Amino acid sequence: MADKLIGKRYYKIDFELASALSIGGNASYATDKDIVYNGNGIPYIPATSLAGIYRSFFKTETANKYFGSKTDFTDSRIYVYDAELKSDKYNVSKRDCVSLDEWKTSIKGSKFDFEIIEPETKFVTYIEQNIYENINSENIEIDDNVGDVVADMWAKEKIQIGGKTSRGLGRVKNVSVKLKDFSFKSEEDKNKWFDFDIFDEKYWEDAVIWNSEKEKHWSENIHTGKITLNLKMKQVSPIIIRTYTTNKEDSDYKPLTFTKYNTDGKEIKMPVIPGTSWAGAFKAHIEKLGFCNVKEIFGYSENKKSKASSIYFSESIIEKSKSKILSRNSIDRFTGGTVENALFTEEICYGGETVLEISFNKNYEDGFYKAMAASIIDMHEGIISIGGETSVGRGLFRLIKIKCDGNKIEFNEDSERLYEKLIEVILKKRSEE
């Protein structure tokens, strides 16, 4: 007997980008990978991208039942809507990427660029779920849990959207989830549903605010089996993650930034360190230590074979920093004079603080945990540096605070003791179920 439709459940999800978003289509007009635009030239997040994320929370059987299956010729019980911009305040910019060798020289053919939607852009999306009465036994079971799992993952800010999510892109924050139910048991109930306009804010005024405290654990949590380190750091030296410009009023080299708006609507440029920069620096250093198989952890693409990275590095916004413009010239080492046409200016940022989040699996070999702990200590001691011009002392950071899965690790200036403490905490976390 076919399932009987007895109602509808709707979810309204408002959210903000915590990090840059790379949500690309097939277009490559402005960059190698442009973001998706609608017919009016406005960026949006396609429902297909969101539906793919939602499916990943469930086993194949459950995902096919609720989201549809081509194999079984079943329709989706969950209707996913595009995520649309909530405001005309948004910025699209370009990111340049290149693979570097151990001497920080670019590898031939490895440069590419892509468009991103900058952080703090606000979106809204919706989910619509059919509620059925399953008559498979003497007991009637109401299927209403799958949408709740997705809503809870949103509320807990576990959703990551688009490309390069293992390098910090596509994170969300300030998520608000509202829930509204409609029953089809009576004509009066049906009429309320007929009058409902999902896109009209007034129909959500009496909606239920989602409360994660009341969640039911139906999903296989995609974050189980992970250890997360949170590193708060202060700048020891200036840093520059370069972006290039041909604008004569700008410096030749500027730091990578995103645009933030203060309460007065004024634009503020915030320096940012991409997750790709952190990953590259740690990968190179861990590879030198030789304790583990780096490719299996950080991923690779070579000889028509590839493997996705299984380690996560966040993007890091540099807070409380100051900027300074410097003019420099190349010097002829033989004459001691300036090289003709070699004058350039660059903008650097200094004196700031930032946070780096690193997340990795619990099932790695012991050598990796030793290498990761050693790399964190080496960064603290100034051996690992980030960004450009590291040969002249740029890009150094020192630890202020460390947390492992939210628990603070106490440490002092004794680096050897901190290394031992990190190993102890990580191995203890690995043994926990």
Side-chain angles (χ1 to χ4, degrees):
M1 183 181 292
D3 293 341
K4 180 182 177 182
L5 181 65
I6 61 171
K8 290 270 192 178
R9 173 167 289 182
Y10 293 89
Y11 305 85
K12 178 177 180 284
I13 300 136
D14 295 278
F15 65 96
E16 192 174 327
L17 296 182
S19 63
L21 171 66
S22 172
I23 189 77
N26 296 321
S28 57
Y29 301 112
T31 63
D32 295 316
K33 184 183 178 182
D34 297 350
I35 60 171
V36 182
Y37 297 89
N38 64 20
N40 296 319
I42 305 297
Y44 75 104
I45 302 172
T48 49
S49 297
L50 296 175
I53 297 169
Y54 302 160
R55 286 186 69 106
S56 71
F57 300 152
F58 307 96
K59 293 179 180 178
T60 302
E61 182 181 355
T62 305
N64 288 343
K65 176 181 178 181
Y66 286 95
F67 293 91
S69 169
K70 292 181 180 179
T71 305
D72 300 330
F73 302 103
T74 55
D75 293 330
S76 176
R77 299 184 177 194
I78 307 289
Y79 300 92
V80 181
Y81 290 72
D82 293 337
E84 305 283 356
L85 288 171
K86 288 185 64 180
S87 167
D88 57 0
K89 283 189 176 181
Y90 69 91
N91 288 282
V92 173
S93 57
K94 183 179 75 171
R95 289 277 181 94
D96 291 293
C97 285
V98 65
S99 296
L100 303 178
D101 59 24
E102 58 183 304
W103 298 282
K104 287 203 170 183
T105 302
S106 60
I107 299 172
K108 187 177 180 180
S110 66
K111 186 183 183 304
F112 67 98
D113 56 10
F114 59 97
E115 279 189 326
I116 55 107
I117 304 173
E118 293 189 355
E120 305 204 354
T121 304
K122 296 179 180 180
F123 287 90
V124 60
T125 186
Y126 305 89
I127 300 172
E128 176 183 346
Q129 180 174 346
N130 289 340
I131 306 299
Y132 291 94
E133 185 178 79
N134 287 340
I135 313 176
N136 298 322
S137 64
E138 295 180 0
N139 297 319
I140 295 176
E141 176 190 357
I142 306 301
D143 280 336
D144 64 352
N145 55 17
V146 171
D148 286 354
V149 172
V150 176
D152 200 68
M153 296 300 278
W154 270 110
K156 291 183 175 177
E157 300 179 356
K158 299 296 185 183
I159 302 286
Q160 282 188 265
I161 308 166
K164 292 190 176 295
T165 53
S166 67
R167 297 298 177 259
L169 298 189
R171 296 185 71 171
V172 299
K173 65 178 182 178
N174 296 333
V175 178
S176 169
V177 181
K178 293 182 178 180
L179 170 67
K180 201 167 178 76
D181 280 317
F182 291 94
S183 170
F184 294 166
K185 291 182 178 179
S186 68
E187 287 301 317
E188 182 181 355
D189 292 334
K190 290 180 182 178
N191 288 332
K192 289 180 181 179
W193 175 68
F194 283 131
D195 292 336
F196 176 66
D197 183 353
I198 193 172
F199 303 110
D200 193 332
E201 188 64 35
K202 71 180 182 181
Y203 288 98
W204 291 96
E205 291 176 355
D206 60 345
V208 176
I209 305 297
W210 183 263
N211 184 356
S212 287
E213 296 300 322
K214 298 179 180 179
E215 70 148 321
K216 304 172 188 175
H217 297 279
W218 293 297
S219 67
E220 306 100 37
N221 191 326
I222 59 174
H223 289 269
T224 54
K226 295 279 188 180
I227 297 172
T228 300
L229 297 175
N230 188 282
L231 314 176
K232 185 175 182 180
M233 300 169 286
K234 63 180 179 181
Q235 279 186 272
V236 177
S237 67
I239 186 173
I240 180 167
I241 307 292
R242 290 175 178 167
T243 55
Y244 300 90
T245 177
T246 56
N247 188 338
K248 294 182 179 180
E249 296 179 359
D250 287 335
S251 304
D252 297 301
Y253 306 145
K254 300 182 66 176
L256 182 65
T257 61
F258 78 91
T259 304
K260 182 177 181 178
Y261 296 93
N262 64 14
T263 53
D264 298 327
K266 183 180 178 182
E267 291 186 0
I268 303 172
K269 296 294 184 181
M270 301 293 294
V272 61
I273 304 173
T276 49
S277 295
W278 288 118
F282 273 82
K283 179 183 177 182
H285 196 73
I286 290 174
E287 199 164 26
K288 289 177 183 177
L289 296 175
F291 290 160
C292 60
N293 188 336
V294 172
K295 287 184 178 180
E296 290 300 312
I297 296 169
F298 284 81
Y300 62 87
S301 179
E302 55 187 29
N303 300 325
K304 296 183 180 180
K305 293 183 179 180
S306 62
K307 184 179 186 299
S309 173
S310 57
I311 185 170
Y312 169 84
F313 289 87
S314 69
E315 295 215 321
S316 300
I317 298 170
I318 302 177
E319 305 275 358
K320 304 175 184 177
S321 68
K322 301 176 184 178
S323 63
K324 189 174 185 179
I325 296 176
L326 303 176
S327 295
R328 300 177 62 193
N329 208 327
S330 294
I331 303 298
D332 189 313
R333 60 177 175 168
F334 298 107
T335 66
T338 59
V339 177
E340 187 176 359
N341 297 324
L343 177 68
F344 66 94
T345 60
E346 62 178 353
E347 184 179 340
I348 59 171
C349 70
Y350 64 96
E353 295 181 355
T354 194
V355 174
L356 168 64
E357 185 178 296
I358 307 173
S359 183
F360 44 84
N361 294 334
K362 289 184 177 181
N363 59 356
Y364 293 146
E365 53 191 300
D366 287 355
F368 166 76
Y369 303 118
K370 295 177 181 178
M372 176 55 69
S375 297
I376 291 171
I377 302 305
D378 286 346
M379 181 180 64
H380 180 61
E381 294 293 344
I383 298 172
I384 293 181
S385 50
I386 303 296
E389 301 179 351
T390 55
S391 61
V392 293
R394 301 277 170 83
L396 301 179
F397 288 86
R398 196 161 182 83
L399 291 168
I400 302 174
K401 186 186 296 184
I402 306 178
K403 290 182 179 181
C404 181
D405 288 345
N407 299 314
K408 186 177 178 181
I409 300 176
E410 299 292 343
F411 72 97
N412 51 33
E413 292 300 313
D414 185 349
S415 294
E416 184 177 347
R417 176 58 188 144
L418 176 56
Y419 171 77
E420 294 172 353
K421 186 69 174 177
L422 269 173
I423 292 293
E424 177 187 334
V425 171
I426 290 173
L427 292 181
K428 182 179 178 181
K429 285 290 181 182
R430 185 178 68 167
S431 64
E432 293 177 357
E433 292 296 331

